[in-house]
Amino acid sequence: MIKKSILQAAAAIALVAAALQPVHAQDKTEITLARFFGACEADFGKSVDVRAARGECGVITTLVNKFNATNKDNIVVKPQIAEWGPYYDQLTSRIVARDVPTIAVMHQSSIGDYVNRKLIEPIDADLKTVGITPAEFTDTAKAGVTMNDKTYGLPFDTWSWLWHINTNLLKKAGLTNADGSVQIPKSPAELLAQARKYKQVTGKAYFAWPTSGSVPTNTWTFFSMMFQQNSSLFTEGAKPHINMHTPDVTAILDLMSTLYNEGLVVPGIDSGAVNQAWFKGDAAVALTGTWRIDDYMAASEKAESPAHNGYLVIPFPQLFAKRATFADGHAWVMLKGGAKDEKSKKAALTFLKFLWDNEFEWSRTGHLPANKKVYDSAEFKGLPMRDKIIEISTIGRGLAHNVPRAAAVQQALSEELITMQLSKKTVQQTEDAAETRVNKLLDSVR
C-alpha cells in the first residue's frame, strides 16, 4: 500500500509539473531562415536593440533576435547563414536533398528562374492572412516579385549600384564647379578626362572597384551603363540569348578597359579592399551598393577620416543616352517543401509580417524600402543621403524574369569582365568569350 501511495503521489507530482511547464516549452514552433548578409554574432549575437544595430548583418541579426524574444506565438527562427557567392548553388543542393529552409532570401532577379522550375508558388492569399497586400509594395518592388499578376515573394527592399564619393579629394584635385560642388561626369569622355586629371594631380586612382571575389560587381557596373543605352542586351521570349556584339556594348567595354589599363582604378582588389581604399583616401570614388551607405557615413563622421564631412553618394551617373541604373532587390520566398505543415507555414508568415512592419529598420542600411508606407514616410526621407538616391525607385532596372539562372549569368559576365581587365584581353575577345559562355548557360536550361 505504501509503495502504491508513493507511486500515485509521484504520478500526481509529475502531472502538476507538466501542467506548470511554460507554454513555450511545450508548443514551440521552429522555422529556418536561409540568408546571406554575413555573420556578426560577436557584435550582435545577443542584441535585441535594433535601433543600435548598423549594417546589413547587424540589422537582420538583431531583428531575428528581437522576434525570437518578443513574439507571443512561441516561434523560434533559426538562421542558416551562407556566403553570398555560393548561396544559390547551396540552395539548389538543399532543394535536391529535400532539406528546404522554411524561408529563404532571394534576389528578385532570380525569382523567375525558381518560379519557372515550379519551386515557388504564389503567396498572395497567404500574405493576406497576415494583412499584407501587393498594393502596399512600391512599384519597383512589386515588379520584382510579380509574374503573371501573381506574387511569389515578400519584397524586402530595392538596392542599387552607387558612386560613393569623397568630395574632399575631388575638390583638392580641382574637380569642382563654379558653385563649389564636385563635378559629376556626363559622358565617357568627361569621365576619362576627370579621372586622368585626378591621377595627375594626386598620383592616385580615381576609382576603387572589385576585380576579384565571388560577387558579380563588374556585371552591375556594366548593366548600369547598358541600361542607359538604346539597345537590348537579351532577346525576348522563353529562350533568351545575350548579344554582346553591339556598338553600345563595345563602348562600355572600351571605357572599363581604358580606365583600368591607365591605372585609374585601384588594381586587383576585392569588395572588402574597395571599402578600405576609400576609407584610407586611396580612391575618390568607390563603386559599391546601397548597403554600404551606413558604413561609409559612419566612417565620414570620424575626424581623422579623409572623407570627414565630405561624403556624397549618388546613383550611377548618366554617361550615355538615358537616365537609368542597375537595380535589384531582396525578397523573402517560401520554397515548396520548406514549411512542413500548416503550423510552420503560419509561423513563417507571422515572421514575414514582423519583417514587413520593421522595414524602416532595414532601410537604415541604405536600401530603399519595399513598403510604400515606409518609402513615403518623413522618417525614411530624413535619413542621410536618401534624397540623393530616392530616384532609384523610378530609374532602376533589373534583369527581366525571362532570363534563367540569373545569378550564374551575372557571375559569368563578371568573370569575363575581370579577365579583360587583369589580362588585358581585347574588347573583341571579351565580347566573344562572354557571349559564348552566357549563351551556353542559357541553352543548358531545360
Side-chain angles (χ1 to χ4, degrees), residues 32-36 80 87-88 91 94-95 100-107 114 120 152-154 330-335 352:
T32 54
L33 179 73
R35 70 162 181 84
F36 31 75
Q80 297 173 331
Y87 176 78
Y88 290 101
L91 190 60
R94 292 187 63 182
I95 292 170
V100 186
T102 319
I103 301 171
V105 70
M106 187 170 288
H107 290 96
Y114 285 79
I120 307 177
Y152 288 90
L154 178 68
H330 299 112
W332 301 106
V333 301
M334 296 174 65
L335 295 157
L352 291 183

Side-chain angles (χ1 to χ4, degrees), residues 21-39:
Q21 279 187 344
V23 174
H24 68 266
Q26 299 177 32
D27 300 326
K28 183 168 64 175
T29 304
E30 289 188 355
I31 59 175
T32 54
L33 179 73
R35 70 162 181 84
F36 31 75
F37 305 125

Side-chain angles (χ1 to χ4, degrees), residues 343-358:
K343 187 177 180 183
S344 297
K345 185 176 182 180
K346 184 179 178 180
L349 291 166
T350 300
F351 177 63
L352 291 183
K353 181 63 163 65
F354 172 83
L355 293 177
W356 185 246
D357 290 341
N358 283 274

Side-chain angles (χ1 to χ4, degrees), residues 226 231-233 243-251 431:
M226 190 65 209
S231 63
S232 297
L233 186 62
N243 181 10
M244 294 290 289
H245 292 86
T246 67
D248 291 340
V249 170
T250 299
E431 289 173 341

Side-chain angles (χ1 to χ4, degrees), residues 316-377:
F316 210 97
Q318 182 179 343
L319 301 178
F320 295 94
K322 296 185 289 190
R323 187 81 184 104
T325 189
F326 172 72
D328 201 339
H330 299 112
W332 301 106
V333 301
M334 296 174 65
L335 295 157
K336 284 185 180 180
K340 305 305 180 185
D341 50 39
E342 284 302 314
K343 187 177 180 183
S344 297
K345 185 176 182 180
K346 184 179 178 180
L349 291 166
T350 300
F351 177 63
L352 291 183
K353 181 63 163 65
F354 172 83
L355 293 177
W356 185 246
D357 290 341
N358 283 274
E359 275 264 298
F360 172 76
E361 301 299 343
W362 183 246
S363 74
R364 292 192 296 105
T365 64
H367 298 312
L368 297 171
N371 188 323
K372 195 182 296 183
K373 183 178 179 180
V374 176
Y375 182 86
D376 291 333
S377 70

Side-chain angles (χ1 to χ4, degrees), residues 188-403:
E190 282 191 15
L191 173 55
L192 282 172
Q194 291 179 22
R196 286 164 177 162
K197 180 179 180 181
Y198 182 83
K199 185 176 183 184
Q200 183 181 21
V201 173
T202 67
K204 295 185 177 182
Y206 181 88
F207 278 120
W209 76 46
T211 48
S212 67
S214 59
V215 180
T217 54
N218 277 256
T219 299
W220 301 337
T221 299
F222 172 74
F223 280 169
S224 292
M225 292 185 279
M226 190 65 209
F227 290 146
Q228 296 179 4
Q229 309 276 12
N230 288 314
S231 63
S232 297
L233 186 62
F234 292 92
T235 59
E236 297 180 359
K239 292 285 186 180
H241 282 81
I242 195 170
N243 181 10
M244 294 290 289
H245 292 86
T246 67
D248 291 340
V249 170
T250 299
I252 297 168
L253 299 190
D254 277 336
L255 177 59
M256 293 180 71
S257 180
T258 301
L259 286 166
Y260 197 87
N261 290 339
E262 291 189 11
L264 306 176
V265 180
V266 179
I269 57 176
D270 61 13
S271 296
V274 166
N275 301 329
Q276 293 306 312
W278 193 88
F279 293 157
K280 294 187 294 184
D282 291 337
V285 180
L287 295 193
T288 186
T290 47
W291 56 91
R292 285 297 180 190
I293 290 177
D294 197 26
D295 298 326
Y296 280 47
M297 180 63 65
S300 70
E301 291 168 354
K302 298 176 181 178
E304 67 274 18
S305 169
H308 181 58
N309 293 330
Y311 175 46
L312 173 67
V313 63
I314 61 171
F316 210 97
Q318 182 179 343
L319 301 178
F320 295 94
K322 296 185 289 190
R323 187 81 184 104
T325 189
F326 172 72
D328 201 339
H330 299 112
W332 301 106
V333 301
M334 296 174 65
L335 295 157
K336 284 185 180 180
K340 305 305 180 185
D341 50 39
E342 284 302 314
K343 187 177 180 183
S344 297
K345 185 176 182 180
K346 184 179 178 180
L349 291 166
T350 300
F351 177 63
L352 291 183
K353 181 63 163 65
F354 172 83
L355 293 177
W356 185 246
D357 290 341
N358 283 274
E359 275 264 298
F360 172 76
E361 301 299 343
W362 183 246
S363 74
R364 292 192 296 105
T365 64
H367 298 312
L368 297 171
N371 188 323
K372 195 182 296 183
K373 183 178 179 180
V374 176
Y375 182 86
D376 291 333
S377 70
E379 188 176 30
F380 168 70
K381 292 178 180 178
L383 291 172
M385 301 292 173
R386 275 23 176 220
D387 60 322
K388 310 295 185 186
I389 65 168
I390 202 164
E391 66 170 331
I392 289 168
S393 284
T394 56
I395 68 169
R397 287 183 55 191
L399 278 180
H401 283 312
N402 73 313
V403 179

